[in-house]
Amino acid sequence: MSSPAQLETKAQVAEIGDKYKYGFVTDIEMDMAPKGLSEETVRFISAKKNEPEWMLEWRLAAFRRWLSMKEPKWARVHYPQIDFQDAYYYAAPKNNPLKQSLNEVDPKLLETYNKLGIPLNEQMALAGVAVDAVFDSVSVATTFKEKLNEAGVIFCPFSEAIRDHPDLVKKYLGTVVPVTDNYYATLNSAVFSDGTFVFVPKGVRCPMELSTYFRINASETGQFERTLIIADADSFVSYLEGCTAPKRDENQLHAAVVELVALDHAEIKYSTVQNWYPGDENGKGGIYNFVTKRGDCRGDHSKISWTQVETGSAITWKYPSCILRGDHSVGEFYSIAIANNYQQADTGTKMIHLGANTKSRIISKGISAGKAQNTYRGLVSIYGKAKNARNYTQCDSLLIGGNCGAHTVPYIESRNPTARIEHEATTSKIAEDQLFYCLQRGIPQDEAVSLIVNGFCKEVLQQLPMEFAVEAQKLVGISLEGSVG
Amino acid sequence: MLDIKNLHVTVGGKEILKGLTLSIQPGQVHAIMGPNGSGKSTLSFVLAGRSGYDVTEGSIIYNGEDLKAMATEDRAAKGVFLAMQYPVEIPGVTTMTFLKTALNSQRRKRGESDLDAIGVLKLVRAKAKELNVSEEMLKRALNVGFSGGEKKRLEILQMSIFEPKLAILDETDSGLDIDALRLVAEGVNALRSPERAMLVITHYQRLLDYIVPDRIHVLAKGRIVAEGGKELALELEAKGYEHIVGQAA
């Protein structure tokens, strides 16, 4: 039954699985950059990766720019000032494990995976999905390489791409999210340590799902990964990223940049299941997820589709966007954002219509529980040359309990009279009579909440690749457990 | 099977049931009739275990167990079923998914193994056919866009799937035209069995033409004020609630 490729993945993933399993329970000795952020830190990271001079210069330019920038304050999130000098910007596991420290394991996280039935990695192996695993600052393994090579698809750690495919990296890096784009993107440009690079050549339909599994493990460490996906003309690729982090009392910063480029008639489907540690029930700890994701539909008839299931992080600040540059290009954004306890989410999208006959579709489902605040913030902008541009936006909010908040902030700009823009928004509560109905039919409360919320999110869940839809459904339920008192 | 003694219930601090006593044996069908605001629906919610309905005095013994102490979902697993007056809509959850989730939740509570998707499908299809519930209805989101008749038929379908020991039908006739009523009543009658007790709550006598009860209790102002056989319904219809309630007062 098993093809060589599947066997390869199983072997690879078993190995990763082991490392990750011990990642929870073992203190892996880490190779760390000195604490703090300076030009020296940037040079240290670049040197660690044996980067060419041009890459170092690129980073340094970003760093100098960053020094002159200010943190954005417009999002509806509140957190204490971040001390950027009080963190590590590079952490890579050495191979010799040190003393055991069982305290490191987040029992809730382990429990979460138990509840999910199978560890993420095994599940991916069974599904025959190619995986790149990023552990803190470095990529630790990439599976299925051989089979992808046969198809001409490049799928490798970012640092490897800089070494092996410098021309492609130079041609596309920073062309969708410029170095100067925003505070966190600029910071990322200076200190990014690893990430994933994908290139799908002309006319190739990528033979399998590609996936990156990000994990923050080290304490007091920020994760700054960089993902660049290029789909050449007439190609197709579906990519999924999963994220987890252990439970820690401190807040950790995650500032990633993702750039997608789709050329003529190419399609990129990008899915995220984000389950960073959200902090405890009292709002202590958790990941600050400040991420810049943008896709450029550079070619005519190109298509970029974002699907995200955001259940983790203490704070989420994230707007996966599409620049619809090519004529007839299509941008899609399907989102589920769940905020429980003290989580804060300010997330949405930007659809920038530049080309003629461009179309965009936004389906956002925000769920708030506990004392959480959940904001949808979205921009639909139709430029003068985008004749016959069309957008459909649907923003639905679901409230669980009386102490949370849902906010919808749509920005709509149209400079072309032929544009058609539709916006629908609803806010509802899980009604007591719905819960009672489920209970009366024998469905326990947490399961009832999960059922109702999954129903609410259905349109988005349907967009996920099959292999991950089930996992995402369970995650939706788990992240809301105990939210109805 | 069900023994209610001197039951007092408050809702939002207001006493609604004021010393209700009622007893039902397996195989029997009892009807509760009464004017609006007499506490009929409160009784059904208390039996099912809805939160916000507080028992302040009295006892409810169900098959030898204290029903009050049982969680709502446990009551369901132990055979208490309430066909609701206003079945709720759950958008995005197909009727079939809901039935499967509910059935397996109950089975798990009873220590039985889950029925797989095919098993559930077979069971539901067979029962649905008897009640004229279409395949298409089972694929739609639960109660979303259902007509009044469809909603009530789905309640009876669930009753037939879950095979409860005590079925409470709260105003199952409300909002139904005569054809829909007949169909629902036939469904209910088909489920009458020597092991099953039913409590039919209704405002009007007409439902009892189709579901003929063994005993009728008249509820007014939180108490049973009159009891009798099926002929009591006709008397009520002829003379009105005022007459009977007035006599009792």
Side-chain angles (χ1 to χ4, degrees), chain A residues 165-186:
Chain A
H165 310 283
D167 294 344
L168 283 173
V169 174
K170 271 192 213 170
K171 186 173 174 187
Y172 291 104
L173 181 68
T175 63
V176 185
V177 178
V179 167
T180 54
D181 192 76
N182 70 71
Y183 190 78
Y184 294 107
T186 305

Side-chain angles (χ1 to χ4, degrees), chain A residues 172 199-203 230-236 261 263-266:
Chain A
Y172 291 104
F199 179 82
V200 188
K202 254 183 204 137
I230 302 133
D232 208 337
D234 294 302
S235 69
F236 170 83
V261 179
L263 301 179
D264 286 355
H265 291 274

Side-chain angles (χ1 to χ4, degrees), chain A residues 72-143:
Chain A
K73 291 288 179 203
W74 43 262
R76 196 186 183 98
V77 293
H78 303 280
Y79 54 93
Q81 189 73 34
I82 297 173
D83 182 357
F84 288 93
Q85 297 307 332
D86 191 31
Y88 293 100
Y89 289 83
Y90 182 83
K94 285 183 182 170
N95 278 331
N96 35 345
L98 274 182
K99 263 188 276 176
Q100 305 281 320
S101 163
L102 283 161
N103 299 336
E104 283 290 299
V105 195
D106 168 9
K108 277 202 175 159
L109 197 68
L110 290 178
E111 196 188 319
T112 300
Y113 282 109
N114 283 337
K115 282 181 185 171
L116 289 173
I118 0 171
L120 192 59
N121 295 309
E122 271 175 43
Q123 190 177 3
M124 287 180 179
L126 294 173
V129 175
V131 182
D132 183 24
V134 176
F135 192 83
D136 287 330
S137 302
V138 292
S139 176
V140 289
T142 307
T143 62

Side-chain angles (χ1 to χ4, degrees), chain A residues 293-456:
Chain A
K293 290 183 168 177
R294 198 172 300 152
D296 189 355
C297 285
R298 211 164 276 183
D300 292 347
H301 296 276
S302 57
K303 179 176 175 184
I304 289 177
S305 179
W306 299 100
T307 303
Q308 59 172 20
V309 179
E310 303 278 324
T311 61
S313 297
I315 300 176
T316 299
W317 180 97
K318 181 184 169 189
Y319 314 89
S321 304
C322 295
I323 299 167
L324 302 170
R325 199 183 301 275
D327 291 346
H328 300 277
S329 60
V330 176
E332 291 176 339
F333 175 74
Y334 298 97
S335 170
I336 296 169
I338 297 179
N340 195 359
N341 296 321
Y342 285 87
Q343 281 177 279
Q344 305 174 62
D346 192 304
T347 184
T349 184
K350 289 189 272 187
M351 292 291 174
I352 314 292
H353 292 254
L354 302 177
N357 302 306
T358 46
K359 277 198 275 189
S360 63
R361 182 177 169 84
I362 299 168
I363 308 284
S364 164
K365 304 278 181 176
I367 297 120
S368 319
K371 296 195 163 77
Q373 296 294 325
N374 203 334
T375 302
Y376 168 82
R377 188 184 301 278
L379 168 70
V380 175
S381 185
I382 315 281
Y383 279 67
K385 286 178 181 163
K387 62 169 195 273
N388 299 322
R390 289 177 63 181
N391 162 266
Y392 174 75
T393 301
Q394 185 187 329
C395 286
D396 297 324
S397 304
L398 185 69
L399 301 170
I400 302 174
N403 298 318
C404 53
H407 317 274
T408 303
V409 190
Y411 304 84
I412 298 169
E413 306 167 352
S414 179
R415 299 189 193 86
N416 190 308
T418 61
R420 267 175 59 195
I421 301 167
E422 290 174 71
H423 182 98
E424 288 180 26
T426 65
T427 302
S428 51
K429 277 188 119 164
I430 288 195
E432 189 273 332
D433 60 353
Q434 283 177 320
L435 277 177
F436 170 63
Y437 191 87
C438 292
L439 289 169
Q440 206 297 303
R441 301 301 143 96
I443 304 171
Q445 185 139 293
D446 281 335
E447 220 173 307
V449 170
S450 172
L451 188 75
I452 294 167
V453 172
N454 271 300
F456 173 77

Side-chain angles (χ1 to χ4, degrees), chain A residues 151-220:
Chain A
V153 174
I154 303 169
F155 175 50
C156 67
F158 208 92
S159 44
E160 205 175 298
I162 294 169
R163 194 183 68 215
D164 298 345
H165 310 283
D167 294 344
L168 283 173
V169 174
K170 271 192 213 170
K171 186 173 174 187
Y172 291 104
L173 181 68
T175 63
V176 185
V177 178
V179 167
T180 54
D181 192 76
N182 70 71
Y183 190 78
Y184 294 107
T186 305
L187 175 63
N188 173 289
S189 300
V191 300
F192 76 87
S193 38
D194 218 328
T196 304
F197 178 83
V198 178
F199 179 82
V200 188
K202 254 183 204 137
V204 171
R205 199 180 162 86
C206 186
M208 62 191 70
E209 298 277 342
L210 303 182
S211 175
T212 301
Y213 176 62
F214 293 105
R215 172 152 184 85
I216 298 177
N217 186 67
S219 167
E220 295 176 77

Side-chain angles (χ1 to χ4, degrees), chain B residues 51-100:
Chain B
S51 64
Y53 291 75
D54 303 318
V55 176
T56 51
E57 210 186 319
S59 65
I60 311 171
I61 304 298
Y62 168 69
N63 283 332
E65 287 188 85
D66 179 8
L67 196 67
K68 284 184 305 188
M70 248 184 256
T72 312
E73 66 270 30
D74 294 339
R75 299 183 196 195
K78 289 189 171 169
V80 176
F81 180 85
L82 169 61
M84 302 211 194
Q85 184 177 4
Y86 304 109
V88 302
E89 300 181 359
I90 304 186
V93 177
T94 66
T95 303
M96 190 55 111
T97 300
F98 181 83
L99 294 177
K100 180 172 179 246

